């Protein structure tokens, strides 16, 4: 009987190639935000999911044995998204971990990034630190996680390799910054997929971390030179210690034909030495690794194209929705219940009693302007979906709210209680959009930043 595997991030580079290679070996459930219309592979089941919603994620993972998590810096599904990619990725990973536990999933395979060897975790780039946080969070609900940390994965359609390809293609002369002399270990797409397949359902891989890469150690400069050779391009490539990381981001983005959202965190990471830790080498089977040169030949072969995706019908979105995600300090490891209750007390104090909180016996709360009867915001506590680690409130009324059946507010612990996430989801403001963006939206950020400062002072 085939194992049932769900892939979060199935429409991405690794997801598409995994489906193409293993669609006959596994029953694959590919997760996407939209609804698939014309599936090119009928044996693959596509399910629509909103990963920002725990309920939707639980539903999408029903009947799944194993899961592959390939989500990084997921795009917003609301018109306004307030929150860093690190905090967003943290929340999404926590949602997925909770949903995996609810469905008794046996294992999560996570594709992360090789960690630098010369610096402490606290000093690595935001991009790599975020991936490490996601790795930890996916296992926080008890589901075994196998973390595969990779550097650049070389194959047809891969975004990291595409940057190298376009730089070589567009620039006859490259005066490169110092980071191009950093050592790294790339890995072919073929070998990455083989390792993923080996780990699925293999109990020896449960709760293990593997750093995966071809044994050959290269610099980014040598990778550019090898790529140029395989492309038949004569290129002068010289590394000099003058260009800043900021300048590197600009020229890699422009000449590498890649969006800033992808390039900026990646370049921040490339300044580190990203080689495989000898103690974390993949050892569950012998891999006859493709060399970087062989991997490039496959990647640039015009006959190799990214596998086709279905056409998707986007779910009808509510107009003018807002999502706001903030990370709050929690140095004394207080519960989400405690933080939610402090927020109710603190907010009127912050507004010098101009705003007052009124709470009923069941925990619902309204925030009122002075003594006006109608609240600015009405929150209904949802006890059956709340616990010490997460407090959930539906947004059910208020003069600042346009829809009363749609949004929610939550406080939740993450990273073993080291931080608290405060998030408003699918909020629909009553104010005209451009007035809201320039007034109430800014006010919310000011409030949450000050609440974070309050929590920090309270816990220091």
């Amino acid at each position: 009987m085939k194992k049932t595997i769900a892939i979060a991030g199935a429409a991405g580079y690794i997801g598409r190639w995994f489906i193409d290679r293993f669609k006959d070996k596994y029953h694959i459930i590919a997760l996407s935000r939209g609804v698939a219309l014309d599936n090119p592979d009928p044996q693959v089941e596509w399910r629509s999911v909103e990963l920002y919603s725990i309920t939707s994620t639980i539903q999408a993972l029903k009947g799944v044995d194993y899961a592959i998590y390939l989500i990084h810096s997921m795009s917003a599904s609301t018109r306004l998204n307030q929150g860093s990619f690190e905090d967003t990725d943290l929340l999404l990973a926590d949602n997925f971990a909770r949903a995996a536990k609810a469905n008794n999933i046996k294992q999560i395979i996570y594709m992360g990034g090789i960690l630098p060897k010369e610096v402490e975790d606290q000093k690595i780039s935001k991009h790599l630190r975020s991936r490490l946080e996601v790795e930890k969070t996916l296992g926080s609900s008890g589901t075994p996680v196998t973390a595969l940390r990779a550097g650049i994965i070389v194959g047809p359609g891969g975004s990291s390799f595409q940057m190298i390809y376009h730089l070589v293609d567009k620039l006859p002369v490259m005066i490169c910054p110092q980071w191009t002399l950093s050592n790294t270990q790339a890995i072919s797409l073929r070998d990455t997929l083989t390792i993923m397949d080996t780990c699925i359902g293999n109990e020896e891989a449960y709760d293990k971390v593997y750093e995966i890469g071809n044994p050959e150690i290269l610099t980014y400069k040598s990778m550019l030179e090898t790529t140029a050779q395989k492309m038949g391009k004569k290129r002068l490539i010289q590394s000099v210690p003058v260009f800043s990381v900021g300048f590197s981001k600009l020229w890699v983005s422009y000449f590498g034909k890649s969006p800033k959202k992808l390039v900026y965190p990646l370049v921040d990471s490339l300044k580190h030495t990203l080689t495989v830790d000898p103690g974390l080498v993949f050892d569950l089977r012998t891999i006859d690794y493709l060399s970087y040169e062989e991997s490039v030949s496959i990647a640039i072969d015009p006959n190799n194209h990214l596998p086709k995706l279905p056409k998707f019908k986007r779910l009808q979105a509510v107009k003018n929705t807002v999502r706001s995600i903030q990370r709050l300090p929690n140095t004394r490891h207080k519960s989400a219940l405690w933080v939610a209750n402090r927020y109710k007390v603190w907010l009127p104090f912050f507004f010098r009693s101009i705003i007052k909180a009124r709470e009923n016996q069941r925990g619902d709360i309204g925030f009122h302007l002075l003594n006006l009867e109608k609240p600015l915001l009405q929150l209904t506590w949802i006890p059956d979906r709340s616990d010490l680690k997460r407090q959930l409130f539906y947004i059910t009324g208020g003069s600042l709210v346009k829809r009363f059946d749609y949004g929610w507010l939550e406080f939740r612990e993450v990273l073993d209680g080291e931080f608290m996430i405060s998030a408003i989801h699918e909020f629909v403001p009553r104010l005209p959009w451009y007035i809201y963006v320039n007034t109430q939206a800014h006010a919310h950020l000011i409030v949450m930043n000050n609440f974070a400062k309050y929590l920090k002072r309270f816990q220091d």
Side-chain angles (χ1 to χ4, degrees), residues 23 43 62 96 127 160 194 271 275 282 300 310-311 318 355 436 439:
K23 59 191 174 187
Q43 67 269 51
K62 286 193 178 300
F96 201 83
H127 177 68
S160 297
T194 297
K271 61 188 177 185
T275 52
F282 180 76
I300 65 176
K311 290 183 179 178
V318 174
I355 291 179
Y436 167 80
T439 57

Side-chain angles (χ1 to χ4, degrees), residues 188-347:
S188 70
L189 171 68
R190 186 204 72 176
D191 296 337
T192 301
L193 297 177
T194 297
I195 289 171
M196 292 172 68
D197 175 50
T198 302
C199 290
I200 293 171
N202 187 335
E203 294 188 7
E204 290 184 47
Y206 287 9
D207 292 320
K208 292 288 183 66
V209 174
Y210 298 103
E211 294 193 341
I212 60 174
N214 187 302
E216 61 180 334
I217 297 176
L218 302 170
T219 65
Y220 296 101
K221 179 176 179 287
S222 64
M223 290 167 66
L224 288 165
E225 291 169 339
T226 299
T227 303
Q229 179 185 3
K230 298 305 294 182
M231 291 172 64
K233 302 275 188 180
K234 291 185 177 180
R235 295 293 184 254
L236 177 62
I237 304 171
Q238 184 65 45
S239 295
V240 294
V242 292
F243 292 142
S244 68
V245 172
F247 185 81
S248 298
K249 293 175 182 177
L250 292 175
W251 70 262
V252 172
S253 178
Y254 181 78
F255 293 106
K257 290 187 175 181
S258 299
K260 293 179 181 178
K261 182 179 178 181
L262 170 68
V263 170
Y264 282 23
L266 180 61
V267 171
D268 279 334
S269 303
L270 298 184
K271 61 188 177 185
H272 300 303
T273 298
L274 300 178
T275 52
V276 172
D277 185 330
L280 300 176
V281 172
F282 180 76
D283 60 358
L284 295 183
R285 63 173 285 183
T286 301
I287 304 292
D288 184 16
Y289 289 96
L290 290 177
S291 68
Y292 179 75
E293 186 175 347
E294 291 170 326
S295 303
V296 170
S297 296
I298 295 171
I300 65 176
D301 186 335
N303 296 315
N304 293 329
H305 302 287
L306 269 172
K308 290 184 178 180
L309 289 172
K311 290 183 179 178
F312 293 104
K313 176 184 177 182
R314 290 189 174 276
L315 299 179
Q316 189 65 35
V318 174
K319 187 178 180 182
N320 293 349
T321 53
V322 177
R323 178 172 286 108
S324 187
I325 303 169
Q326 283 81 41
R327 185 186 309 214
L328 305 174
N330 193 30
T331 55
R332 293 196 179 181
H333 295 263
K334 299 292 187 180
S335 68
L337 175 62
W338 183 90
V339 171
N341 286 330
R342 293 308 304 177
Y343 184 72
K344 299 174 191 177
V345 174
W346 172 84
L347 190 63

Side-chain angles (χ1 to χ4, degrees), residues 92-252:
L92 292 172
D94 192 62
N95 279 353
F96 201 83
R98 289 167 178 265
K101 179 181 179 180
N103 283 288
N104 296 314
I105 285 179
K106 300 173 185 176
Q107 178 194 28
I108 298 172
I109 306 288
Y110 172 60
M111 184 64 64
I114 290 179
L115 297 182
K117 307 301 177 285
E118 74 276 20
V119 296
E120 299 175 355
D121 290 351
Q122 296 83 353
K123 296 181 180 179
I124 63 178
S125 70
K126 288 183 180 179
H127 177 68
L128 291 175
R129 188 165 60 246
S130 174
R131 292 199 172 190
L132 180 59
E133 288 182 343
V134 169
E135 180 183 305
K136 293 177 180 178
T137 302
L138 287 172
S140 62
S141 292
T143 303
V145 172
T146 302
L148 302 176
R149 299 175 181 168
I152 291 179
I153 299 174
V154 184
S159 55
S160 297
F161 177 73
Q162 284 297 306
M163 285 190 290
I164 295 175
Y165 176 88
H166 288 302
L167 287 171
V168 170
D169 187 49
K170 295 295 181 183
L171 298 174
V173 177
M174 280 181 267
I175 307 301
C176 301
Q178 186 71 19
W179 59 257
T180 56
L181 296 179
S182 298
N183 288 330
T184 190
Q185 289 175 254
I187 187 170
S188 70
L189 171 68
R190 186 204 72 176
D191 296 337
T192 301
L193 297 177
T194 297
I195 289 171
M196 292 172 68
D197 175 50
T198 302
C199 290
I200 293 171
N202 187 335
E203 294 188 7
E204 290 184 47
Y206 287 9
D207 292 320
K208 292 288 183 66
V209 174
Y210 298 103
E211 294 193 341
I212 60 174
N214 187 302
E216 61 180 334
I217 297 176
L218 302 170
T219 65
Y220 296 101
K221 179 176 179 287
S222 64
M223 290 167 66
L224 288 165
E225 291 169 339
T226 299
T227 303
Q229 179 185 3
K230 298 305 294 182
M231 291 172 64
K233 302 275 188 180
K234 291 185 177 180
R235 295 293 184 254
L236 177 62
I237 304 171
Q238 184 65 45
S239 295
V240 294
V242 292
F243 292 142
S244 68
V245 172
F247 185 81
S248 298
K249 293 175 182 177
L250 292 175
W251 70 262
V252 172

Side-chain angles (χ1 to χ4, degrees), residues 8 49-59 61 69 74 87-103 105 108 134 137-138 140-141 143 323 325 385 390 392 408 410 412-414 421 423 425:
V49 62
E50 177 50 89
L51 293 174
Y52 285 101
S53 164
I54 294 177
T55 302
S56 177
T57 309
I58 289 174
Q59 186 63 34
L61 293 181
Y69 192 81
M74 187 174 178
D87 296 349
T88 300
D89 281 354
L90 194 56
L91 181 140
L92 292 172
D94 192 62
N95 279 353
F96 201 83
R98 289 167 178 265
K101 179 181 179 180
N103 283 288
I105 285 179
I108 298 172
V134 169
T137 302
L138 287 172
S140 62
S141 292
T143 303
R323 178 172 286 108
I325 303 169
R385 296 182 56 200
R390 183 183 186 236
L392 176 66
W408 69 97
E410 63 173 324
R412 71 165 82 180
E413 295 178 32
V414 289
I421 289 286
H425 301 272

